[in-house]
Amino acid sequence: MMMRESKNARAIQYGILAIIAVLFLLPLVWMLFSSVDGRAIQAIQLPQKPTLENFAAILTSPSIMRSFVIGLMVSGFQALFVVIVSVLAAYPLSRYPLPWKKPFLLSILFLTSLPMTAVIVPVYEMFLYLKMQDSLIATTIFMISTSLPYGIWMMKNFMDSVPLELEEAAWMDGSTVWEGVRKVVIPLMLPGIFTIAIFTFTGSWGNFFVPFILITTPEKLPASVTIFQFFGNNGLVNYGQLAAFSVLYTLPVVVLYVFAQRYMSQGFSFGGAVK
């Protein structure tokens, strides 16, 4: 009796997982089929005559390619600066008994939970007051500041996992504190560093809200916002080009994941580490 109930429970679990998988895959199937369909519609259909015209239209559009470049630059700089600043901020938080350390960490944890919609209005007013609206540099700096709390929090936790004895061994060999960080801590933290960089990049790459509010010039909008141009007036949508744009839009994140997978899969393997 109990075995039958166990089989039924397992069947229900598999059924729920299968439904979730189908719901997740259906949009991807539509995107792939429609991207090579010259007569793509809102529904999923096999392309009668597969074509690359949709991709050609996207790749030959200067405005769309410019938006991709802007998005890559904003997301790349954001990920780079968040990683650098997080390492510099996490090291003293992880290694030294600083005063007000716990309140500071709790403040960082609180900042990670603030929704963007709760702060965007005063931020927009501040941008207007400082005459920084429509500035890509100012927008990138603001996006870096919004990513730093969780970057510092995660980096500090990753750094706590690096045994202090390994650094002390480097110091005994004559290394400075910075050399110990560069030669011992950072190599052991590469999986964590790549994790934070990927989270930051993907969060920035898919950020629609912030650039939509703070950037007003169409020529400065990143790819996450220019997707709006495929939704024309009166409900007219070029589904084929929209799907091709979506496929190209996912490529940077997929490439980044594939590149970082080799480091992330290593995990933390400190067991048996010796001087």
Side-chain angles (χ1 to χ4, degrees), residues 6 12-13 16 26 34 58 68 136 138 145 160 164 168 210 229 258 275:
S6 177
I12 292 174
Q13 293 174 358
I16 294 175
L26 282 179
S34 299
I58 298 298
F68 270 101
L136 277 174
S145 65
D160 287 342
L164 181 60
E168 292 174 343
V210 172
Q229 71 182 46
V258 171
K275 176 183 173 183

Side-chain angles (χ1 to χ4, degrees), residues 114-260:
L114 281 179
M116 186 59 64
T117 51
V119 299
I120 194 62
V121 173
V123 167
Y124 180 71
E125 293 293 335
M126 183 184 68
F127 269 56
L128 288 178
Y129 180 76
L130 298 176
K131 301 185 184 305
M132 296 191 303
Q133 71 274 20
D134 202 28
S135 169
L136 277 174
I137 296 177
T139 302
T140 304
I141 293 174
F142 170 68
M143 294 172 71
I144 290 173
S145 65
T146 59
S147 301
L148 276 177
Y150 82 83
I152 294 174
W153 181 265
M154 292 177 64
M155 193 72 76
K156 190 260 180 188
N157 289 332
F158 282 123
M159 197 168 288
D160 287 342
S161 301
V162 179
L164 181 60
E165 290 77 11
L166 296 177
E167 275 189 90
E168 292 174 343
W171 298 340
M172 292 293 292
D173 287 340
S175 298
T176 63
V177 174
W178 172 242
E179 287 175 340
V181 173
R182 183 168 57 87
K183 296 180 180 178
V184 177
V185 178
I186 290 181
L188 291 173
M189 287 183 57
L190 278 181
I193 290 174
F194 274 101
T195 300
I196 295 172
I198 289 175
F199 281 165
T200 306
F201 184 91
T202 54
S204 175
W205 183 246
N207 194 323
F208 171 85
F209 191 59
V210 172
F212 180 73
I213 296 296
L214 300 181
I215 302 293
T216 56
T217 304
E219 288 75 16
K220 294 182 179 179
L221 292 174
S224 59
V225 182
T226 56
I227 195 173
F228 246 129
Q229 71 182 46
F230 296 101
F231 296 88
N233 296 327
N234 303 318
L236 298 177
V237 182
N238 191 329
Y239 290 107
Q241 293 186 13
L242 175 61
F245 179 91
S246 301
V247 171
L248 296 175
Y249 185 70
T250 60
L251 285 182
V253 177
V254 173
V255 170
L256 188 61
Y257 268 105
V258 171
F259 173 74

Side-chain angles (χ1 to χ4, degrees), residues 41-95:
I41 59 176
Q42 197 170 10
I44 297 177
Q45 65 177 7
L46 283 173
Q48 298 297 326
K49 295 181 179 178
T51 176
L52 296 178
E53 292 180 355
N54 294 325
F55 288 99
I58 298 298
L59 294 174
T60 56
S61 172
S63 61
I64 294 178
M65 297 312 298
R66 182 176 57 248
S67 69
F68 270 101
V69 173
I70 292 174
L72 287 172
M73 292 182 65
V74 171
S75 302
F77 278 119
Q78 184 178 351
L80 177 64
F81 278 92
V82 166
V83 167
I84 293 175
V85 176
S86 296
V87 170
L88 297 177
Y91 185 80
L93 291 172
S94 174
R95 292 297 192 253

